[in-house]
Amino acid sequence: MLDQLSAWFPPALIDLFITSFWETLVMVGISGALGALIGIPLGVSLRLTDRGGVLESAAFNRTVGGLVNAVRSTPFIILLVAIIPFTRLLTGSSIGTAAAVVPLTLAAAPFVARLVEASLREVDSGLIEAAQAMGATVPQIVFKVLLPEAVPGIVAGLTITLVSLTGYSAMAGAIGGGGLGDLGIRYGYQRFLPEVMLAVVLLLIVFVQAVQSLGDWFVRRLSHK
C-alpha cells in the first residue's frame, strides 16, 4: 500500500502539494483580510445611509449599493480577466499568487459589505434610538452599539466569505493563479493524473470544513458573551 502511494505521490509531487496549499492559504488569507478591511466600512456606510439610518442619504446609498451589486453580479472568472490591466498595474504581473489576490479582494469586498449590512440590520433599532437620545455621536453609535451587537453575524459572514474565496482561488489557479487549483489543472487534468485531482478536491474539502468549523466556534463564543 505504501509503495503504491509512493508511486502515485512521489516526494517531488508532495512538495508541490505543500507549496500549492501554502499559496492557497496566502491567497485566501490576504484577500479575506483586505476584503474585510474594505467591506466592513462599506457595509457600515450602506447601513447608516439606508432609509431610516443615522446618516440617511438615498443618493449615496443607491450609488454605492449599485457599484456593490455590479461587482457581486459579475462572475468571478470574468472579473478575473476584466481587471488584468489593473492587476498588472498593482503587482507587475497577471499570473501568480500575488496577482490572484487582486481579483479575489475585489470579489470579497462587496460580498462582505452586503453581509455586514445584513448583520447590522438585525441590531435592535431601539438601541440606536436610545444611544441617540443620550447624545451619542455617529462614531459612538457605530463602535459602541452597531458593531458590538452585530459581531457574531459579521464573523459568520466573514466565515462564508473565506469559504467562497477558497473556491474562487481554485478558479484563479486555472489561469495561472497558483495554489491547489493550478496543481489540479496542470497535473490532474492536463497530465491525466486523476489521483492528483482527487487529492486536491479532498484537501480543499478538509480546508473548507476546518474554516467553517473554526468560524462557527467563534460565532458560538461571541454569541454567549
Side-chain angles (χ1 to χ4, degrees), residues 45-46 48-63:
S45 66
L46 286 170
L48 293 177
T49 57
D50 199 6
R51 182 179 300 177
V54 178
L55 299 174
E56 183 175 344
S57 174
F60 177 89
N61 192 272
R62 287 173 187 163
T63 301

Side-chain angles (χ1 to χ4, degrees), residues 199-222:
V200 167
V201 171
L202 291 176
L203 192 55
L204 286 172
I205 290 173
V206 171
F207 178 65
V208 167
Q209 289 289 348
V211 170
Q212 187 66 58
S213 297
L214 185 61
D216 291 343
W217 180 81
F218 273 115
V219 170
R220 288 193 297 269
R221 288 292 301 268
L222 291 168

Side-chain angles (χ1 to χ4, degrees), residues 32 78 126 171 191 200 215:
I78 295 177
M171 197 182 302
R191 300 190 184 186
V200 167

